[in-house]
Amino acid sequence: MTDFSNKNMQTHQPLPDLGEGGMVLYVKAAEDGKSVGDCPFTQYVRMVLEEKGLDYDVRPCTAETKPQWLIELYEGKMPALRHRRECYTESEVIAQYLEFFFSGDEYASLAKPKKKDMSEASEVVGKIFPAIAKYLKHTPDGDDEDDELKNGLGEALSLLEAHLTGEGRTGPFIVGDGEHITLLDCNLAPKLYHMKVGMTAFKDNAVRVDDDFPAVAGYINTMFNRESFIKTKYPEETIVWGWGNARSK
């Protein structure tokens, strides 16, 4: 059995029980302090929750409205999933927890691919968001360093394009033959959402995904039209607000 406790549970006092089925996701708030903020890692977790058909409440928090127990016991980290008497932080840990403990017949399980297939896809996906973040954060736009970062994103997208068009692929998703959605798809889609919105808002669409990376564009279309993505996405202006803050630092 996978041990999720080492990093996130430790030896804290148990929290009050939320009751049968009680599940609350604490997330970064948007500019208004009340709606869901622009965190792609939060959307990742929410997509997993939606794919599995789990009931949960979302509680957007600012630095001032975080629960004291979250600050004292978990350093205020978000997203934070509280389930009954337990709490987990870090999106990947939360996603793995949900997949492990809610995998019975009564829950919709995401596909569990071969380790080799998952490893190969993860290596490609892991390069995407660092390249997106470096490029979108950089100012001034259009200088020599900006061009280098744009090329770095292009290289990461080229690897993704090659992966999506590789031999033996018959479906639209990211792992293996692409026939089944996995945790990795829920991980990647929110980051591509940031890329698409941020490129338009700040970079004049300097990387032409539709023209230069048609398989990536098709993947984006598939994922962005999935119900779990539609139900959990935040407005584009929330992404622009988030990256605008990052670019001003």
Side-chain angles (χ1 to χ4, degrees):
M1 177 175 174
T2 303
D3 180 8
F4 296 97
S5 63
N6 290 341
K7 185 181 292 185
N8 293 282
M9 295 290 292
Q10 301 177 12
T11 57
H12 302 315
Q13 287 293 109
L15 296 167
D17 198 331
L18 291 177
E20 186 66 30
M23 195 176 291
V24 179
L25 185 66
Y26 296 86
V27 305
K28 172 187 174 183
E31 186 175 16
D32 63 6
K34 299 177 181 179
S35 54
V36 174
D38 64 318
C39 177
F41 304 101
T42 290
Q43 191 181 8
Y44 169 26
V45 172
R46 293 188 69 198
M47 285 185 68
V48 175
L49 286 161
E50 293 292 339
E51 290 286 344
K52 299 186 77 61
L54 295 169
D55 292 328
Y56 65 101
D57 293 327
V58 178
R59 296 188 187 171
C61 301
T62 65
E64 293 74 26
T65 61
K66 286 181 184 178
Q68 193 61 32
W69 61 262
L70 182 59
I71 296 170
E72 292 177 354
L73 301 181
Y74 300 95
E75 301 176 354
K77 293 178 181 179
M78 296 186 295
L81 181 72
R82 185 171 167 188
H83 181 221
R84 304 284 306 264
R85 298 170 67 88
E86 302 175 353
C87 181
Y88 298 90
T89 63
E90 300 185 20
S91 58
E92 189 60 36
V93 172
I94 297 170
Q96 294 289 345
Y97 167 79
L98 293 170
E99 182 60 10
F100 187 85
F101 286 102
F102 297 93
S103 58
D105 293 340
E106 66 270 37
Y107 304 106
S109 291
L110 296 162
K112 297 179 176 65
K114 297 177 181 177
K115 287 185 179 180
K116 179 176 181 293
D117 291 340
M118 183 62 107
S119 178
E120 290 175 353
S122 295
E123 184 174 355
V124 173
V125 168
K127 300 179 186 301
I128 297 294
F129 194 62
I132 293 171
K134 289 176 183 178
Y135 186 40
L136 292 184
K137 282 182 182 179
H138 178 76
T139 59
D141 302 314
D143 66 2
D144 289 344
E145 185 178 355
D146 201 54
D147 286 341
E148 291 178 5
L149 294 172
K150 180 185 75 173
N151 292 337
L153 176 56
E155 291 172 3
L157 290 172
S158 292
L159 291 174
L160 181 58
E161 181 80 10
H163 177 81
L164 290 169
T165 55
E167 184 178 354
R169 288 189 52 83
T170 55
F173 301 113
I174 196 73
V175 180
D177 61 10
E179 287 292 337
H180 304 285
I181 189 170
T182 67
L183 292 178
L184 203 57
D185 294 290
C186 298
N187 179 310
L188 179 58
K191 297 169 183 177
L192 294 176
Y193 184 34
H194 277 247
M195 179 188 74
K196 184 176 181 181
V197 173
M199 289 285 296
T200 300
F202 303 113
K203 300 296 184 180
D204 196 27
N205 290 312
V207 177
R208 302 177 64 85
V209 175
D210 289 351
D211 294 336
D212 297 337
F213 308 101
V216 175
Y219 177 79
I220 288 173
N221 184 64
T222 294
M223 291 304 301
F224 285 18
N225 282 291
R226 197 164 180 89
E227 184 178 5
S228 61
F229 181 88
I230 294 169
K231 291 178 69 174
T232 60
K233 73 175 184 176
Y234 23 76
E236 292 186 4
E237 54 264 31
T238 300
I239 294 178
V240 174
W241 163 75
W243 285 108
N245 289 338
R247 286 163 58 85
S248 66
K249 294 179 179 179

